[in-house]
Coordinates of all heavy atoms in Angstrom, one line a residue:
M196 N 110.2 99.6 90.0 CA 110.7 101.0 90.0 C 110.3 101.6 91.4 O 109.5 101.1 92.1 CB 110.0 101.9 88.9 CG 108.5 101.8 89.0 SD 107.6 102.8 87.8 CE 108.9 103.5 86.8
F197 N 111.0 102.7 91.7 CA 110.8 103.3 93.0 C 109.4 104.0 93.1 O 109.1 104.8 92.2 CB 111.9 104.3 93.3 CG 111.8 105.1 94.5 CD1 111.5 104.5 95.7 CD2 111.9 106.5 94.5 CE1 111.4 105.2 96.9 CE2 111.8 107.2 95.7 CZ 111.6 106.6 96.9
A198 N 108.7 103.8 94.1 CA 107.4 104.4 94.3 C 107.4 105.2 95.6 O 107.1 104.8 96.7 CB 106.3 103.4 94.4
R199 N 107.8 106.5 95.4 CA 108.0 107.4 96.6 C 106.8 107.5 97.5 O 106.9 107.5 98.7 CB 108.4 108.8 96.1 CG 108.6 109.8 97.2 CD 109.3 111.1 96.8 NE 110.7 110.8 96.4 CZ 111.7 110.7 97.3 NH1 111.4 110.8 98.6 NH2 112.9 110.5 96.9
G200 N 105.6 107.4 96.8 CA 104.4 107.5 97.6 C 104.2 106.4 98.6 O 103.3 106.5 99.5
H201 N 104.9 105.3 98.4 CA 104.8 104.1 99.3 C 105.7 104.2 100.4 O 105.7 103.2 101.3 CB 104.9 102.8 98.5 CG 103.8 102.5 97.6 ND1 102.7 101.8 98.0 CD2 103.6 102.9 96.3 CE1 101.8 101.8 97.0 NE2 102.3 102.4 95.9
L202 N 106.6 105.1 100.5 CA 107.5 105.2 101.6 C 106.7 105.4 102.9 O 105.6 106.1 102.9 CB 108.4 106.5 101.5 CG 109.6 106.3 100.5 CD1 110.4 107.6 100.4 CD2 110.5 105.2 101.0
P203 N 107.1 104.9 104.0 CA 106.3 105.0 105.2 C 106.3 106.4 105.7 O 107.2 107.2 105.4 CB 107.1 104.1 106.2 CG 108.5 104.0 105.7 CD 108.3 104.1 104.2
D204 N 105.3 106.8 106.5 CA 105.2 108.1 107.1 C 106.4 108.2 108.0 O 106.8 107.3 108.7 CB 103.9 108.1 108.0 CG 103.8 109.3 108.8 OD1 103.5 110.4 108.3 OD2 104.1 109.2 110.0
P205 N 107.0 109.4 108.0 CA 108.3 109.6 108.7 C 108.1 109.3 110.2 O 109.0 108.7 110.8 CB 108.6 111.1 108.5 CG 108.0 111.4 107.1 CD 106.7 110.6 107.1
V206 N 107.0 109.7 110.8 CA 106.9 109.5 112.3 C 106.8 107.9 112.5 O 107.5 107.4 113.4 CB 105.6 110.2 112.9 CG1 105.4 109.7 114.3 CG2 105.8 111.7 112.8
A207 N 106.0 107.3 111.7 CA 105.9 105.8 111.9 C 107.2 105.1 111.7 O 107.6 104.2 112.4 CB 104.8 105.3 110.9
Y208 N 107.9 105.6 110.6 CA 109.2 105.0 110.4 C 110.2 105.2 111.5 O 110.8 104.2 112.1 CB 109.8 105.6 109.1 CG 111.2 105.1 108.8 CD1 111.5 103.8 108.4 CD2 112.3 105.9 109.2 CE1 112.8 103.3 108.2 CE2 113.6 105.4 109.0 CZ 113.8 104.1 108.5 OH 115.1 103.6 108.4
Y209 N 110.4 106.4 111.9 CA 111.5 106.7 112.9 C 111.1 106.1 114.3 O 111.9 105.6 115.0 CB 111.7 108.2 113.0 CG 112.5 108.8 111.9 CD1 112.0 109.6 110.9 CD2 113.9 108.4 111.7 CE1 112.7 110.1 109.9 CE2 114.6 108.9 110.6 CZ 114.0 109.8 109.7 OH 114.8 110.2 108.7
V210 N 109.8 106.3 114.7 CA 109.4 105.8 116.0 C 109.2 104.3 116.1 O 109.8 103.6 116.9 CB 108.1 106.6 116.4 CG1 107.6 106.0 117.8 CG2 108.4 108.1 116.6
E211 N 108.4 103.8 115.1 CA 108.0 102.4 115.3 C 109.0 101.5 114.7 O 109.3 100.4 115.2 CB 106.6 102.2 114.5 CG 105.5 102.9 115.3 CD 104.2 103.1 114.5 OE1 104.0 102.3 113.5 OE2 103.5 104.0 114.8
R212 N 109.6 101.9 113.6 CA 110.6 100.9 112.9 C 112.0 101.1 113.5 O 112.7 100.1 113.7 CB 110.6 101.2 111.4 CG 111.5 100.3 110.7 CD 111.0 99.9 109.3 NE 112.0 99.0 108.7 CZ 111.7 98.2 107.7 NH1 110.5 98.3 107.1 NH2 112.6 97.4 107.2
E213 N 112.4 102.3 113.7 CA 113.8 102.5 114.2 C 113.9 102.7 115.7 O 115.0 102.8 116.2 CB 114.4 103.7 113.5 CG 114.6 103.5 112.0 CD 115.6 102.3 111.7 OE1 116.7 102.4 112.4 OE2 115.3 101.4 110.9
G214 N 112.7 102.8 116.4 CA 112.8 102.9 117.8 C 113.2 104.2 118.4 O 113.7 104.3 119.5
A215 N 113.1 105.3 117.6 CA 113.6 106.6 118.0 C 112.5 107.3 118.9 O 111.3 107.0 118.8 CB 113.9 107.5 116.8
R216 N 113.0 108.1 119.8 CA 112.1 108.9 120.6 C 112.3 110.3 120.0 O 113.3 110.9 120.0 CB 112.5 109.0 122.1 CG 112.2 107.7 122.8 CD 112.4 107.9 124.3 NE 111.6 109.0 124.8 CZ 111.9 109.8 125.9 NH1 113.1 109.6 126.5 NH2 111.1 110.7 126.3
L217 N 111.2 110.9 119.5 CA 111.2 112.2 118.9 C 110.7 113.2 119.9 O 109.6 113.1 120.4 CB 110.3 112.2 117.6 CG 110.6 111.3 116.5 CD1 109.6 111.4 115.3 CD2 112.0 111.5 116.0
L218 N 111.7 114.1 120.2 CA 111.4 115.1 121.3 C 111.0 116.4 120.6 O 111.5 116.8 119.6 CB 112.6 115.3 122.1 CG 113.2 113.9 122.7 CD1 114.5 114.2 123.4 CD2 112.2 113.3 123.7
G219 N 110.2 117.2 121.3 CA 109.9 118.5 120.9 C 108.6 118.5 120.1 O 107.9 117.6 120.0
R220 N 108.3 119.7 119.5 CA 107.1 119.8 118.7 C 107.4 120.5 117.4 O 108.6 121.0 117.2 CB 106.1 120.7 119.4 CG 106.3 120.8 120.9 CD 105.3 121.7 121.6 NE 103.9 121.3 121.3 CZ 102.9 121.6 122.0 NH1 103.0 122.3 123.1 NH2 101.7 121.2 121.6
G221 N 106.4 120.6 116.5 CA 106.7 121.2 115.2 C 107.2 120.3 114.2 O 107.3 119.1 114.4
H222 N 107.6 120.8 113.1 CA 108.1 120.0 112.0 C 109.4 119.3 112.3 O 109.7 118.2 111.9 CB 108.3 120.8 110.7 CG 107.0 121.3 110.1 ND1 105.8 120.5 110.3 CD2 106.7 122.3 109.3 CE1 104.8 121.2 109.6 NE2 105.3 122.2 109.0
W223 N 110.3 120.0 113.0 CA 111.6 119.5 113.3 C 111.7 119.0 114.7 O 111.5 119.8 115.6 CB 112.7 120.5 113.0 CG 113.0 120.7 111.6 CD1 112.5 121.7 110.8 CD2 113.9 120.0 110.7 NE1 113.0 121.6 109.5 CE2 113.8 120.6 109.5 CE3 114.7 118.9 110.9 CZ2 114.6 120.1 108.4 CZ3 115.4 118.3 109.9 CH2 115.3 118.9 108.6
R224 N 111.9 117.7 114.9 CA 112.0 117.1 116.2 C 113.5 116.7 116.5 O 114.3 116.6 115.6 CB 111.1 115.9 116.4 CG 109.7 116.1 115.9 CD 108.8 116.8 116.8 NE 107.5 117.1 116.3 CZ 106.5 116.3 116.3 NH1 106.6 115.1 116.9 NH2 105.3 116.6 115.7
S225 N 113.8 116.4 117.7 CA 115.1 116.0 118.1 C 115.1 114.5 118.5 O 114.1 114.0 119.1 CB 115.6 116.8 119.3 OG 115.7 118.2 118.9
A226 N 116.2 113.8 118.3 CA 116.3 112.4 118.6 C 117.8 112.1 118.8 O 118.7 112.8 118.4 CB 115.7 111.5 117.6
L227 N 118.1 111.0 119.5 CA 119.4 110.5 119.7 C 119.9 110.1 118.3 O 119.2 109.4 117.6 CB 119.5 109.3 120.6 CG 119.5 109.7 122.1 CD1 119.4 108.4 122.9 CD2 120.6 110.6 122.6
C228 N 121.1 110.5 117.9 CA 121.7 110.1 116.6 C 122.2 108.7 116.6 O 123.1 108.4 117.5 CB 122.8 111.1 116.2 SG 123.5 110.7 114.7
P229 N 121.8 107.9 115.7 CA 122.3 106.5 115.7 C 123.7 106.4 114.9 O 124.3 105.3 114.8 CB 121.2 105.7 114.9 CG 120.7 106.7 114.0 CD 120.7 108.1 114.7
F230 N 124.1 107.5 114.3 CA 125.3 107.5 113.5 C 126.6 107.8 114.3 O 127.7 107.8 113.7 CB 125.2 108.4 112.3 CG 124.0 108.0 111.4 CD1 122.9 108.9 111.3 CD2 124.0 106.8 110.7 CE1 121.8 108.5 110.5 CE2 123.0 106.5 109.9 CZ 121.9 107.3 109.8
H231 N 126.4 108.2 115.5 CA 127.6 108.4 116.4 C 127.2 108.1 117.8 O 126.0 107.9 118.1 CB 128.2 109.8 116.2 CG 127.5 110.9 116.9 ND1 126.3 111.5 116.4 CD2 127.7 111.5 118.1 CE1 125.9 112.4 117.2 NE2 126.7 112.5 118.3
D232 N 128.1 108.1 118.7 CA 127.8 107.8 120.1 C 127.2 109.0 120.8 O 127.9 109.8 121.4 CB 129.1 107.3 120.8 CG 128.8 106.8 122.2 OD1 127.6 106.5 122.5 OD2 129.8 106.7 123.0
D233 N 125.9 109.2 120.6 CA 125.2 110.4 121.0 C 124.7 110.3 122.4 O 124.2 109.3 122.9 CB 124.0 110.6 120.1 CG 123.6 112.0 120.0 OD1 124.3 112.9 120.6 OD2 122.5 112.3 119.4
T234 N 125.0 111.3 123.2 CA 124.6 111.3 124.6 C 123.4 112.4 124.8 O 122.8 112.3 125.8 CB 125.7 111.7 125.5 OG1 126.3 112.9 125.1 CG2 126.8 110.6 125.5
R235 N 123.3 113.3 123.8 CA 122.2 114.2 123.9 C 121.5 114.2 122.5 O 122.2 113.9 121.6 CB 122.6 115.6 124.3 CG 123.6 116.2 123.3 CD 124.0 117.6 123.7 NE 125.4 117.6 123.9 CZ 126.1 118.7 124.4 NH1 125.4 119.8 124.7 NH2 127.4 118.7 124.6
P236 N 120.3 114.5 122.4 CA 119.6 114.4 121.1 C 120.2 115.4 120.1 O 119.8 116.6 120.1 CB 118.2 114.7 121.4 CG 118.0 114.4 122.9 CD 119.3 114.9 123.5
S237 N 121.1 114.9 119.3 CA 121.8 115.8 118.3 C 121.1 115.7 116.9 O 121.4 116.5 116.0 CB 123.2 115.4 118.2 OG 123.9 115.5 119.4
L238 N 120.3 114.7 116.7 CA 119.7 114.5 115.4 C 118.4 115.2 115.3 O 117.5 115.1 116.2 CB 119.4 113.0 115.2 CG 119.0 112.6 113.8 CD1 120.2 112.7 112.8 CD2 118.4 111.2 113.7
R239 N 118.3 116.0 114.2 CA 117.1 116.7 113.9 C 116.3 116.0 112.8 O 116.9 115.6 111.8 CB 117.4 118.2 113.5 CG 118.2 118.9 114.5 CD 117.4 119.4 115.7 NE 116.5 120.5 115.4 CZ 115.3 120.7 115.9 NH1 114.8 119.9 116.8 NH2 114.6 121.8 115.6
V240 N 115.0 115.7 113.1 CA 114.2 114.9 112.1 C 113.0 115.8 111.7 O 112.3 116.3 112.6 CB 113.8 113.6 112.8 CG1 112.8 112.9 111.9 CG2 115.0 112.7 113.0
N241 N 112.8 115.9 110.4 CA 111.6 116.6 109.9 C 110.5 115.5 109.8 O 110.6 114.6 109.0 CB 111.9 117.2 108.6 CG 110.8 118.1 108.1 OD1 109.6 117.7 108.0 ND2 111.1 119.4 107.9
V242 N 109.4 115.7 110.5 CA 108.3 114.7 110.6 C 107.4 114.8 109.3 O 106.6 114.0 109.1 CB 107.5 114.8 111.8 CG1 108.3 114.5 113.1 CG2 106.9 116.2 112.0
E243 N 107.6 115.9 108.5 CA 106.8 116.0 107.3 C 107.5 115.3 106.1 O 106.9 114.5 105.4 CB 106.6 117.5 106.9 CG 105.8 118.2 108.0 CD 104.4 117.8 108.1 OE1 103.8 117.4 107.0 OE2 103.8 117.7 109.2
S244 N 108.8 115.6 106.0 CA 109.5 115.1 104.8 C 110.4 113.9 105.1 O 110.8 113.2 104.2 CB 110.5 116.2 104.3 OG 111.5 116.5 105.2
G245 N 110.7 113.7 106.4 CA 111.5 112.6 106.7 C 113.0 113.0 106.7 O 113.9 112.1 107.0
A246 N 113.3 114.2 106.3 CA 114.7 114.7 106.3 C 115.3 114.6 107.7 O 114.6 114.7 108.7 CB 114.8 116.1 105.8
Y247 N 116.7 114.4 107.7 CA 117.3 114.3 109.0 C 118.7 115.0 108.9 O 119.3 115.1 107.8 CB 117.5 112.9 109.4 CG 118.3 112.0 108.5 CD1 119.6 111.8 108.7 CD2 117.7 111.5 107.3 CE1 120.4 111.0 107.7 CE2 118.4 110.8 106.4 CZ 119.7 110.5 106.6 OH 120.4 109.8 105.7
R248 N 119.2 115.5 110.0 CA 120.5 116.2 110.0 C 121.0 116.1 111.4 O 120.4 116.5 112.4 CB 120.3 117.6 109.6 CG 121.6 118.4 109.7 CD 121.4 119.9 109.3 NE 121.1 120.0 107.8 CZ 122.1 120.2 107.0 NH1 123.3 120.4 107.3 NH2 121.8 120.3 105.7
C249 N 122.2 115.6 111.6 CA 122.8 115.5 112.9 C 123.7 116.7 113.1 O 124.6 117.0 112.2 CB 123.7 114.2 113.1 SG 124.5 114.2 114.7
M250 N 123.5 117.5 114.2 CA 124.3 118.7 114.4 C 125.7 118.4 115.0 O 126.5 119.2 115.0 CB 123.5 119.5 115.5 CG 122.1 120.0 115.0 SD 122.2 120.7 113.3 CE 120.5 121.3 113.2
A251 N 125.9 117.1 115.3 CA 127.2 116.7 115.9 C 128.1 116.0 114.9 O 129.2 116.4 114.7 CB 127.0 115.8 117.1
C252 N 127.6 115.0 114.2 CA 128.5 114.2 113.3 C 128.3 114.6 111.8 O 129.0 114.1 111.0 CB 128.3 112.7 113.5 SG 126.8 112.0 112.9
G253 N 127.2 115.3 111.5 CA 127.0 115.8 110.1 C 126.2 114.8 109.3 O 126.0 115.1 108.1
A254 N 125.8 113.7 109.8 CA 124.9 112.7 109.0 C 123.7 113.5 108.6 O 123.1 114.2 109.4 CB 124.5 111.5 109.9
K255 N 123.3 113.3 107.3 CA 122.1 114.0 106.8 C 121.6 113.4 105.6 O 122.3 112.6 104.9 CB 122.4 115.5 106.6 CG 123.4 115.7 105.4 CD 123.6 117.2 105.3 CE 124.8 117.6 104.5 NZ 124.9 117.7 103.2
G256 N 120.3 113.6 105.3 CA 119.6 113.1 104.2 C 118.3 113.7 104.0 O 117.8 114.3 105.0
P257 N 117.7 113.6 102.8 CA 116.4 114.2 102.5 C 115.2 113.5 102.9 O 114.1 114.0 102.9 CB 116.5 114.4 101.0 CG 117.3 113.2 100.5 CD 118.3 112.9 101.6
D258 N 115.3 112.2 103.2 CA 114.0 111.4 103.4 C 114.3 110.1 104.2 O 115.5 109.8 104.4 CB 113.3 111.1 102.1 CG 114.3 110.5 101.1 OD1 115.2 109.8 101.5 OD2 114.0 110.7 99.9
V259 N 113.3 109.3 104.5 CA 113.5 108.1 105.2 C 114.2 107.0 104.4 O 114.9 106.2 105.0 CB 112.1 107.5 105.7 CG1 111.5 108.5 106.7 CG2 111.2 107.1 104.6
L260 N 114.1 107.1 103.1 CA 114.9 106.2 102.2 C 116.4 106.4 102.4 O 117.1 105.4 102.6 CB 114.5 106.4 100.8 CG 115.2 105.4 99.8 CD1 114.5 104.0 99.9 CD2 115.1 105.9 98.4
S261 N 116.8 107.6 102.4 CA 118.2 108.0 102.6 C 118.7 107.5 104.0 O 119.7 106.9 104.2 CB 118.3 109.5 102.5 OG 119.7 109.8 102.6
F262 N 117.8 107.8 105.0 CA 118.2 107.3 106.4 C 118.3 105.8 106.4 O 119.3 105.3 107.0 CB 117.1 107.8 107.4 CG 117.4 107.4 108.8 CD1 118.0 108.4 109.6 CD2 117.1 106.2 109.3 CE1 118.3 108.0 111.0 CE2 117.3 105.9 110.7 CZ 117.9 106.8 111.5
H263 N 117.4 105.1 105.8 CA 117.4 103.7 105.9 C 118.6 103.1 105.2 O 119.2 102.1 105.7 CB 116.1 103.1 105.2 CG 115.8 101.7 105.6 ND1 115.5 101.4 106.9 CD2 115.7 100.6 104.9 CE1 115.2 100.1 106.9 NE2 115.3 99.6 105.7
R264 N 119.0 103.7 104.1 CA 120.2 103.3 103.4 C 121.5 103.5 104.3 O 122.3 102.6 104.4 CB 120.4 104.1 102.1 CG 119.5 103.8 101.0 CD 119.8 104.5 99.8 NE 121.2 104.1 99.3 CZ 121.8 104.7 98.2 NH1 121.2 105.7 97.6 NH2 123.0 104.3 97.9
Q265 N 121.6 104.7 104.8 CA 122.7 105.0 105.6 C 122.8 104.2 106.9 O 123.9 103.7 107.3 CB 122.7 106.5 105.9 CG 124.0 107.0 106.6 CD 124.0 108.5 106.7 OE1 123.1 109.2 106.4 NE2 125.2 109.1 107.1
R266 N 121.7 104.0 107.5 CA 121.6 103.3 108.8 C 121.9 101.8 108.7 O 122.6 101.2 109.5 CB 120.2 103.5 109.4 CG 120.0 102.8 110.8 CD 120.7 103.6 111.9 NE 120.5 103.0 113.2 CZ 121.3 102.2 113.8 NH1 122.5 101.9 113.2 NH2 121.1 101.7 115.0
H267 N 121.5 101.2 107.6 CA 121.6 99.8 107.4 C 122.5 99.4 106.3 O 122.6 98.2 106.0 CB 120.2 99.2 107.3 CG 119.3 99.5 108.4 ND1 119.4 98.9 109.6 CD2 118.2 100.3 108.5 CE1 118.5 99.4 110.5 NE2 117.7 100.2 109.8
G268 N 123.2 100.3 105.7 CA 124.2 100.0 104.7 C 123.6 99.4 103.4 O 124.1 98.4 102.9
L269 N 122.4 99.9 103.0 CA 121.7 99.3 101.9 C 121.9 100.1 100.6 O 122.1 101.3 100.7 CB 120.2 99.1 102.2 CG 119.9 98.4 103.4 CD1 118.4 98.4 103.7 CD2 120.3 96.9 103.3
S270 N 121.7 99.4 99.5 CA 121.7 100.2 98.2 C 120.3 100.8 98.1 O 119.4 100.6 98.9 CB 121.9 99.2 97.0 OG 120.7 98.4 96.9
F271 N 120.2 101.7 97.1 CA 118.9 102.4 96.9 C 117.8 101.4 96.7 O 116.7 101.5 97.3 CB 119.1 103.3 95.6 CG 117.8 104.1 95.3 CD1 117.7 105.4 95.8 CD2 116.8 103.5 94.5 CE1 116.5 106.1 95.5 CE2 115.7 104.3 94.2 CZ 115.6 105.6 94.7
V272 N 118.0 100.4 95.8 CA 116.9 99.4 95.5 C 116.7 98.6 96.8 O 115.5 98.3 97.1 CB 117.3 98.6 94.3 CG1 116.3 97.4 94.1 CG2 117.5 99.4 93.1
Q273 N 117.7 98.1 97.4 CA 117.5 97.3 98.7 C 116.7 98.1 99.7 O 115.7 97.5 100.3 CB 118.8 97.0 99.3 CG 119.6 95.9 98.5 CD 121.0 95.7 99.1 OE1 121.7 96.7 99.6 NE2 121.5 94.5 99.1
A274 N 117.0 99.3 99.9 CA 116.3 100.1 100.9 C 114.8 100.3 100.4 O 113.9 100.2 101.2 CB 117.0 101.5 101.1
A275 N 114.6 100.6 99.2 CA 113.3 100.8 98.6 C 112.4 99.6 98.8 O 111.3 99.6 99.2 CB 113.3 101.3 97.2
R276 N 113.0 98.4 98.5 CA 112.3 97.1 98.7 C 112.0 96.9 100.1 O 110.9 96.5 100.5 CB 113.2 96.0 98.2 CG 113.3 95.9 96.7 CD 113.5 94.4 96.3 NE 113.4 94.2 94.9 CZ 114.4 94.1 94.0 NH1 115.6 94.0 94.4 NH2 114.1 93.9 92.7
D277 N 113.0 97.1 101.0 CA 112.8 96.9 102.4 C 111.6 97.8 103.0 O 111.0 97.4 103.9 CB 114.1 97.3 103.1 CG 114.3 96.4 104.4 OD1 113.8 95.3 104.4 OD2 115.1 96.9 105.3
L278 N 111.5 98.9 102.4 CA 110.4 99.9 102.9 C 109.1 99.7 102.1 O 108.2 100.5 102.2 CB 110.9 101.3 102.9 CG 112.1 101.6 103.8 CD1 112.6 103.0 103.6 CD2 111.8 101.4 105.2
H279 N 109.1 98.7 101.3 CA 107.9 98.4 100.5 C 107.6 99.6 99.5 O 106.4 99.9 99.3 CB 106.7 98.1 101.4 CG 107.0 97.0 102.4 ND1 107.2 95.7 102.0 CD2 107.1 97.1 103.7 CE1 107.4 95.0 103.1 NE2 107.4 95.8 104.1
A280 N 108.6 100.2 99.0 CA 108.4 101.3 98.1 C 109.0 101.0 96.8 O 109.5 101.9 96.0 CB 109.0 102.6 98.7
W281 N 109.1 99.7 96.5 CA 109.7 99.3 95.2 C 108.6 98.4 94.5 O 108.1 97.5 95.1 CB 110.9 98.5 95.3 CG 111.6 98.2 94.0 CD1 111.5 97.1 93.3 CD2 112.5 99.1 93.3 NE1 112.2 97.2 92.1 CE2 112.9 98.4 92.1 CE3 113.0 100.3 93.5 CZ2 113.7 98.9 91.2 CZ3 113.8 100.9 92.6 CH2 114.2 100.2 91.4
R282 N 108.2 98.8 93.3 CA 107.2 98.1 92.5 C 107.8 97.5 91.3 O 108.4 98.2 90.5 CB 106.0 99.1 92.2 CG 105.2 99.6 93.4 CD 104.4 98.4 93.9 NE 103.7 98.8 95.1 CZ 104.1 98.5 96.3 NH1 105.3 98.0 96.5 NH2 103.5 98.9 97.4
T283 N 107.5 96.2 91.1 CA 107.9 95.5 89.9 C 106.7 95.6 89.0 O 105.6 95.4 89.4 CB 108.3 94.1 90.2 OG1 107.2 93.5 90.9 CG2 109.6 94.0 91.0
A284 N 107.0 95.9 87.7 CA 105.9 96.0 86.7 C 105.0 97.2 87.1 O 104.9 98.2 87.1 CB 105.0 94.8 86.7
Ligands
ZN440 ZN1 125.3 112.0 114.7

């Protein structure tokens, strides 16, 4: 079953796993959007919740699980497993 508490920290996920540069300060940071050919940081990322929203192409989601699914074309369970947030038994 899905174990939300095991999802990686949003900063660790976006920076270390996805190689994003998070610009700015505060809860919402800016980054280059991987969902379109971005030349300026159009993606807004919430470092508390992991939510993301692109001001240019409209890609969005509520957490790093959603980002991981969209970015890598995974099912919910595949993404949860990949992020070590899936527990059997
Ligand atoms: Zn975009």
Side-chain angles (χ1 to χ4, degrees):
M196 58 178 2
F197 177 50
R199 176 167 293 281
H201 288 272
L202 283 177
D204 173 74
V206 171
Y208 174 77
Y209 285 112
V210 174
E211 289 161 28
R212 179 148 185 163
E213 291 297 314
R216 285 188 62 210
L217 298 181
L218 309 171
R220 340 178 53 159
H222 290 333
W223 287 94
R224 311 283 174 87
S225 298
L227 284 174
C228 177
F230 300 112
H231 76 279
D232 188 15
D233 202 7
T234 53
R235 63 179 117 184
S237 303
L238 189 73
R239 303 284 285 150
V240 171
N241 188 302
V242 294
E243 298 293 321
S244 67
Y247 59 98
R248 173 182 291 266
C249 178
M250 300 310 188
C252 73
K255 65 179 162 91
D258 52 28
V259 297
L260 183 75
S261 180
F262 183 94
H263 201 62
R264 288 185 63 183
Q265 190 171 5
R266 180 76 176 98
H267 302 287
L269 303 175
S270 71
F271 182 93
V272 174
Q273 285 173 326
R276 283 207 170 107
D277 211 26
L278 296 177
H279 307 293
W281 188 264
R282 290 288 174 269
T283 51

